[in-house]
Each structure stands twice: as structure tokens, then as C-alpha cells.
Amino acid sequence: MKILIVEDEIALAESIENYLKQEGYLCELAYTYAKASEKVNLYKYDCVIVDIGLPDGSGLHIIKELKKNKSNAGIIIISARNALDDKIDGLEIGADDYLTKPFHLSELNARIKSLIRRRSFNGSNEIICNEITINPDNFEVFINNQMLTLTKKEYDMLIFFLSNKNRVLTKESIAEHLWGDNVDLLDSYDFIYTHIKNLRRKMVDKGGNDYIQTIYGTGYKFNINI
Ligand code: CA
């Protein structure tokens, strides 16, 4: 799960980043409107946490840009106390939730989890796909009720596939989603192959189906109609 944190108070942005990293999220930071705008136009996120008052622009415009790009990201506004107009404007243009500063990081985390569940998995606490059951709160995966031990990257990859079932995912989008925006500095995405190979093997070893298809020259597809 990849999260963009748009916040110009550097100490707050970093404390959010540290907390969410410990919770297992991949985080990117933008301290300015310009940087946030660049990132939302180049990359995809599962969730964007956006402060409205930025030194060089309004976070509301970031929300507008996400909507214009038809982004699937969940959007949580974090803004100053008494900024009721910002809250109403933000929710009207498509933000999903709103937190008033100061807030507890555990509350932000709970809102993110519920938002991602609502958006990607129809609000369920468990993600179920045929013989696969995932409990995202504990990062547990079961195949036919047997626990599957995955690395963090394999787990994130499985979640990414399950939230994009039957869609072709390019190697670039998988790399970006799992390793973050700096991955575009690499000249090859071949390292993904090893992770996919291991994930497939572990699932098949537990008696699961081999859902992940290689789409030659493009990427991979989690095909649940096999
Ligand atoms: Ca601010």
C-alpha cells in the first residue's frame, strides 16, 4: 500500500511517515504544492493525505488534480482547527475523510485502513478470493485455511494483484507500487520477476491456483478465471 503525504510542516510530515512505515506502508513525502502536483500526475497511490494550507498553493487543487486524473486513491484531508470551509470544500470535490490537527497517528492509521478497505475491498475486514483469504489487519494470508508465510514484498504484491484482479499490470506499475517513485531511476524491472516467481511457488505449494500470468513484453495479470 502506497501513501503520499502532502504536508509542509516537515516535523509532522516525518512523524506521519515514520508511523505509517512501521505499520507497513510505503510512504512518499511532498512538502510543497508543486512537488505534490508533480507526484500525483506521475505516480499512483492507494491513499493521499493532504494538508490544505501549503506555502505555494492549496491542497484542494491536489484533490482536484487527483479527481481529474481519475485516481483511485483514497483522500484524507488534514487541516487546521476551525477550517470548516476547507473541510466542506474538500469533501465536495471528492475527499473521503477529514482529520483536524492535532490528531493521534493511531487515528490516522485507523482511517487509512478503513478507507483502503472501503475502496479496494468493498468494506470487508477480510479479503477473500476463491481459496485465498487475507486478514489485512494482521498481514495474514491463508490458502485453503492453511497459513501462507510471505515476505513483505510478496504480501504487498499479492494485495496489489487482488485489488487489480484480471487487469494487466505493467512491470513499471508493480515496481512503482512496491518500491516507490525512485524506482524509475532504475533501468530494468527484472528484479520483480524473482518476487513474482516466489509468490507463485508459495501459493501453488499450499495447493492454491497459479493465478499470475505473464503477459509477454508487458507485465503480469492475476487471472481469477483460470
Ligand atoms: Ca500547512
Side-chain angles (χ1 to χ4, degrees), residues 74-91:
I75 302 168
I76 300 176
I77 296 173
I78 48 172
S79 197
R81 199 183 286 274
N82 300 329
L84 182 63
D85 288 348
D86 288 347
K87 174 178 179 175
I88 293 168
D89 290 348
L91 294 174

Side-chain angles (χ1 to χ4, degrees), residues 21-86:
K21 270 188 179 164
Q22 281 170 22
E23 292 292 316
Y25 297 103
L26 186 68
C27 296
E28 304 277 338
L29 290 176
Y31 300 125
T32 61
Y33 168 79
K35 192 70 193 171
S37 173
E38 180 191 316
K39 280 182 174 286
V40 299
N41 282 295
L42 282 174
Y43 307 115
K44 288 194 175 68
Y45 298 93
D46 296 295
C47 185
V48 177
I49 297 164
V50 57
D51 176 28
I52 301 296
L54 298 168
D56 54 339
S58 168
L60 291 172
H61 291 292
I62 298 295
I63 301 173
K64 284 186 186 150
E65 285 177 44
L66 285 161
K67 293 295 159 186
K68 191 185 77 197
N69 296 343
K70 304 209 179 335
S71 164
N72 285 324
I75 302 168
I76 300 176
I77 296 173
I78 48 172
S79 197
R81 199 183 286 274
N82 300 329
L84 182 63
D85 288 348
D86 288 347

Side-chain angles (χ1 to χ4, degrees), residues 7-9 51-55 101:
E7 169 60 68
D8 62 306
E9 290 169 47
D51 176 28
I52 301 296
L54 298 168
K101 293 181 202 170

